[in-house]
Amino acid sequence: MKENVASATVFTLLLFLNTCLLNGQLPPGKPEIFKCRSPNKETFTCWWKPGTDGGLPTNYSLTYHREGETLMHECPDYITGGPNSCHFGKQYTSMWRTYIMMVNATNQMGSSFSDELYVDVTYIVQPDPPLELAVEVKQPEDRKPYLWIKWSPPTLIDLKTGWFTLLYEIRLKPEKAAEWEIHFAGQQTEFKILSLHPGQKYLVQVRCKPDHGYWSAWSPATFIQIPSDFTMNDTTVWISVAVLSAVICLIIVWAVALKGYSMVTCIFPPVPGPKIKGFDAHLLEKGKSEELLSALGCQDFPPTSDYEDLLVEYLEVDDSEDQHLMSVHSKEHPSQEREQRPAQEARDS
């Protein structure tokens, strides 16, 4: 009797499975967790892609545990993040802790599980786009016109405590252009752009990125029309150059006058004369040779009178040599000697 009951049960199950297979009913396909994101390091959300439902209603649940723990927890919020998501509020979010999670898909035909995903909230931060993007053309009188861009950080991020640091990036292009021009703005929330094409309509967007994490999505585009006269007036340029040149010239003249030197003196300074230690230059000007020689240390130098006698003797010897030369010359030219003798006697007398 029992064998008949067991055979009937197996037959019923096989018939049921055959009916399900003929109707296309199968266990659910394997789901996949494809993204986790935190906008501010305080909360985060994970999303998954469901597999095939097997032709039957399928229920999904996310379970997780923290590294170092064995107790499993179920997702605290399936609504805030939208369909096929799990949201972790502040009370469920821990920094510097790794979450290990998986998704379970179940229908009448069975269950399937996703692969385990390891999540560290510190490295999944992706902020919201910046807000209140404002664009304006500035045309100051004394400077070149520029495009002024200003924005505000996302509201969910508190930058005052220093817990969060945001970097910004701007992109813009003419309305009909294909390529974007990108500018890195750092941590500032204002930016100036000078090189623009007059008469063009520009699209401007901004995004932000934390110190650890990913770039946000681009903010909604803001349009700005650049005026056709978006250039600096040439007259203003020449006036600025003239004023600057005049100021430089005045500074140079004032510096030279203050020093009391001429331009030649500044360029070619005078060369100092030689100096002898212990020598009085006034002695040379007065012509006192004895005092001059004494100052130079020439103690045994002959006096001036003896020097004049020697000079006379030298002149006499020199005259004798001249007379000797003249006598030799007269022998060779007696006619010229007779002509020069009266002149010589006149000089001797």
Side-chain angles (χ1 to χ4, degrees):
M1 184 68 181
K2 292 182 179 179
E3 292 179 357
N4 293 333
V5 173
S7 299
T9 303
V10 171
F11 177 78
T12 304
L13 290 175
L14 291 174
L15 181 62
F16 175 76
L17 291 173
N18 185 46
T19 303
C20 291
L21 291 174
L22 291 175
N23 294 331
Q25 295 176 348
L26 297 170
K30 181 180 179 180
E32 177 188 1
I33 304 175
F34 69 93
K35 181 181 180 181
C36 289
R37 170 182 173 265
S38 173
N40 54 7
K41 296 183 181 180
E42 298 178 358
T43 64
F44 72 99
T45 305
C46 292
W47 292 266
W48 66 83
K49 294 179 181 179
T52 58
D53 57 8
L56 295 171
T58 303
N59 294 323
Y60 295 91
S61 62
L62 183 144
T63 57
Y64 71 94
H65 68 277
R66 296 180 181 90
E67 192 174 24
E69 299 178 356
T70 57
L71 182 62
M72 298 294 295
H73 306 274
E74 188 175 357
C75 171
D77 184 356
Y78 288 106
I79 299 175
T80 302
N84 302 320
S85 70
C86 177
H87 177 73
F88 294 79
K90 291 183 178 181
Q91 65 272 30
Y92 299 101
T93 302
S94 300
M95 293 293 297
W96 313 113
R97 295 290 299 275
T98 301
Y99 290 73
I100 304 170
M101 58 184 67
M102 68 174 63
V103 174
N104 178 21
T106 305
N107 64 12
Q108 293 180 355
M109 299 302 295
S111 300
S112 62
F113 297 89
S114 69
D115 295 331
E116 288 185 340
L117 180 67
Y118 291 76
V119 176
D120 188 336
V121 179
T122 307
Y123 298 100
I124 62 171
V125 179
Q126 184 181 24
D128 295 328
L131 304 172
E132 302 174 357
L133 178 61
V135 184
E136 184 180 352
V137 176
K138 299 284 188 179
Q139 292 183 296
E141 296 181 357
D142 55 342
R143 288 180 295 174
K144 188 175 182 180
Y146 60 88
L147 187 65
W148 179 73
I149 305 173
K150 185 178 181 181
W151 60 89
S152 300
T155 55
L156 295 179
I157 295 179
D158 185 11
L159 299 176
K160 296 180 181 179
T161 59
W163 175 249
F164 219 100
T165 301
L166 283 181
L167 304 175
Y168 297 95
E169 196 173 62
I170 302 165
R171 73 175 184 178
L172 72 161
K173 69 170 184 175
E175 186 177 16
K176 298 181 180 180
E179 296 183 359
W180 292 87
E181 178 182 339
I182 298 178
H183 298 271
F184 181 71
Q187 299 184 28
Q188 60 183 343
T189 56
E190 295 183 8
F191 200 76
K192 297 178 181 179
I193 298 177
L194 300 176
S195 56
L196 296 173
H197 300 288
Q200 294 282 345
K201 187 176 183 179
Y202 275 80
L203 285 75
V204 182
Q205 291 180 302
V206 63
R207 66 177 180 176
C208 58
K209 176 185 178 299
D211 46 358
H212 296 92
Y214 304 95
W215 284 104
S216 71
W218 290 100
S219 66
T222 299
F223 294 85
I224 183 70
Q225 180 68 41
I226 308 300
S228 300
D229 58 345
F230 191 75
T231 54
M232 192 172 183
N233 194 343
D234 293 339
T235 304
T236 306
V237 175
W238 287 113
I239 292 175
S240 302
V241 172
V243 172
L244 182 62
S245 301
V247 171
I248 294 175
C249 292
L250 290 176
I251 292 175
I252 294 175
V253 172
W254 174 77
V256 173
L258 185 64
K259 293 293 183 178
Y261 299 117
S262 64
M263 294 299 294
V264 177
T265 306
C266 293
I267 299 175
F268 304 103
V271 180
K275 294 183 179 180
I276 301 175
K277 186 176 180 180
F279 175 68
D280 188 0
H282 294 288
L283 297 177
L284 183 61
E285 295 176 357
K286 295 178 181 179
K288 297 180 178 181
S289 58
E290 295 180 358
E291 297 180 2
L292 176 60
L293 295 174
S294 175
L296 292 175
C298 302
Q299 301 296 335
D300 300 329
F301 200 85
T304 306
S305 57
D306 297 338
Y307 174 75
E308 293 177 352
D309 296 339
L310 292 174
L311 180 61
V312 171
E313 293 176 1
Y314 171 77
L315 292 175
E316 289 177 356
V317 173
D318 186 60
D319 287 343
S320 63
E321 291 178 358
D322 290 342
Q323 290 178 1
H324 175 72
L325 293 174
M326 290 176 64
S327 61
V328 174
H329 180 72
S330 61
K331 291 179 180 179
E332 295 178 356
H333 304 281
S335 59
Q336 293 181 359
E337 181 180 0
R338 287 192 301 270
E339 294 177 357
Q340 294 178 356
R341 184 175 300 172
Q344 182 67 27
E345 292 177 355
R347 283 197 303 269
D348 293 340
S349 62

